[in-house]
Amino acid sequence: MWSCGVLNGTGRGEDQLLCPHSHLVLSVLSLLCLVVGVPVGLGYNALLVLVNLCDQSSMTMPDVYFVNMAVAGLVLSALAPVHLLGPMASGWALWGFSSEVHVTLLVLFNVCSLVTMYSTALLCLDCYIERALPRTYMSSVYNTRHVCGFVWGGALLTSFSSLLFYICSHVAARIVECSRMQNAEAADAILVFIGYLVPAMAVLYALVLISRIRKEDTPLDQDAGRLDPSVHRLLVATVCTQFGLWTPHYLTLLGHTLLTARGKPVDGHDLGILLFAKDLSRLLAFSSSPVMPLLYRYMNRNFPSKLQRLIKKMHCRHQSCSVDHAGAQQRSA
């Protein structure tokens, strides 16, 4: 985690005065995330996945994407303690590749970020398709499940560059060409472009199309195959929340890339601001894990009924199923 040590020797007295207060605020927020955010994220994401998977017949296309984001949220919640309480000696705040564990955690974090952003973007595009062309089954639950599988595969392939950087750090002495790949800034630039700019453009395009359709009054507006209007409110809230919490992370990656691209050494002041921004943005990214299932819980009006059916089903296994089954047999006789 970021500390005031990077500002020692900068000669700026105001930085030395503000640094302890900033470090205290960051420590309090990190502790709050660990004590409250991680348990809530694990519990509600697991509940979201369990409720939908136990009642797959009632799942809709948005439910599949939210389950996909919930799985990524479970991984983020599991990674949060390791990231936020990483040892100082590891240089984790610098995204160092000196340890196999650090590289693995970095790849998992990047995979979760890509899955989250692309699930949000594809949710917007499929909501537009469902809104414009109901009953075409282009955005069916069956197709959406396969799309989510491709999202995870694409995220793993995109994060594979981090593994290549680590491998090259060990074999560069034997393979001269491998030394060209020891460029963490290139990996950050790739993540910013693929993980943020592309889904952001897709979301913006989809929201513009959806807004145009909502202004048009067509006979299809009465079609029962259309999505429930509450889904669109949930969609807008999801987009604003996800991009609001993940944008600072990608902005810090972009800032680090631009500072390094200047070819000049970064002084202690700029380095301290950058490391503080990275820790704060990572904290916001981890907070998306508990926020999203809570948003889904309170804005999806079908979730309470699904939860009640799951509770009845679990209760039925212990008590009433045998009685109901016997009663059903008596009625049939």
Side-chain angles (χ1 to χ4, degrees):
M1 184 179 289
W2 171 82
S3 67
C4 297
V6 295
L7 295 177
N8 291 336
T10 59
R12 300 189 181 188
E14 62 277 8
D15 292 339
Q16 297 295 335
L17 293 176
L18 293 176
C19 180
H21 300 286
S22 301
H23 186 269
L24 178 61
V25 171
L26 187 61
S27 300
V28 171
L29 292 177
S30 299
L31 183 61
L32 184 64
C33 179
L34 292 172
V35 175
V36 179
V38 171
V40 171
L42 289 174
Y44 270 91
N45 280 303
L47 184 63
L48 193 156
V49 174
L50 183 63
V51 167
N52 283 283
L53 293 185
C54 290
D55 193 6
Q56 297 187 30
S57 60
S58 64
M59 285 184 66
T60 61
M61 174 268 296
D63 293 332
V64 178
Y65 283 116
F66 277 100
V67 168
N68 206 42
M69 287 186 279
V71 175
L74 284 172
V75 179
L76 282 176
S77 295
L79 294 176
V82 183
H83 277 268
L84 300 178
L85 298 178
M88 289 288 295
S90 66
W92 178 250
L94 297 176
W95 298 78
F97 296 153
S98 59
S99 170
E100 293 86 348
V101 176
H102 289 168
V103 175
T104 303
L105 295 175
L106 177 63
V107 170
L108 290 175
F109 180 82
N110 290 336
V111 168
C112 291
S113 67
L114 291 169
V115 169
T116 299
M117 300 304 288
Y118 274 91
S119 295
T120 304
L122 291 172
L123 173 63
C124 293
L125 292 172
D126 276 355
C127 281
Y128 163 70
I129 295 175
E130 191 73 14
R131 178 78 180 179
L133 301 172
R135 301 184 182 278
T136 59
Y137 303 103
M138 294 178 61
S139 57
S140 64
V141 174
Y142 176 81
N143 293 335
T144 304
R145 289 172 180 171
H146 289 281
V147 169
C148 290
F150 283 112
V151 168
W152 281 96
L156 288 171
L157 289 176
T158 304
S159 301
F160 188 70
S161 58
S162 300
L163 293 177
L164 291 180
F165 295 144
Y166 171 72
I167 295 173
C168 284
S169 66
H170 285 270
V171 300
R174 291 169 287 176
I175 303 178
V176 179
E177 293 80 1
C178 198
S179 61
R180 300 177 182 177
M181 299 183 62
Q182 299 184 41
N183 189 350
E185 291 73 29
D188 291 343
I190 292 173
L191 286 175
V192 171
F193 178 74
I194 298 179
Y196 183 78
L197 292 180
V198 173
M201 293 173 62
V203 166
L204 182 61
Y205 178 69
L207 290 179
V208 170
L209 293 178
I210 291 175
S211 65
R212 290 181 179 179
I213 288 182
R214 289 176 65 86
K215 293 179 181 179
E216 299 176 359
D217 187 14
T218 65
L220 290 176
D221 289 333
Q222 306 300 324
D223 195 329
R226 282 184 176 272
L227 291 175
D228 190 272
S230 63
V231 175
H232 296 283
R233 294 191 293 269
L234 179 60
L235 172 65
V236 174
T238 300
V239 170
C240 295
T241 302
Q242 293 286 33
F243 277 86
L245 294 175
W246 282 98
T247 295
H249 168 67
Y250 286 101
L251 289 179
T252 55
L253 292 181
L254 180 61
H256 179 248
T257 302
L258 295 177
L259 285 176
T260 309
R262 297 186 309 176
K264 300 179 181 179
V266 182
D267 60 15
H269 175 72
D270 293 337
L271 181 61
I273 295 177
L274 179 62
L275 296 183
F276 177 78
K278 278 191 173 183
D279 280 339
L280 184 59
S281 63
R282 192 180 299 119
L283 188 63
L284 290 175
F286 282 121
S287 66
S288 66
S289 175
V291 169
M292 284 312 304
L294 290 175
L295 189 66
Y296 178 85
R297 162 66 179 82
Y298 289 104
M299 294 194 67
N300 189 335
R301 64 182 187 180
N302 294 325
F303 183 82
S305 60
K306 290 183 179 181
L307 181 59
Q308 290 178 0
R309 286 196 296 269
L310 176 62
I311 295 175
K312 290 181 180 179
K313 185 183 297 185
M314 296 178 63
H315 183 71
C316 174
R317 291 180 179 178
H318 298 285
Q319 295 182 0
S320 59
C321 275
S322 58
V323 177
D324 294 342
H325 182 65
Q329 289 181 344
Q330 290 178 359
R331 288 191 300 269
S332 63

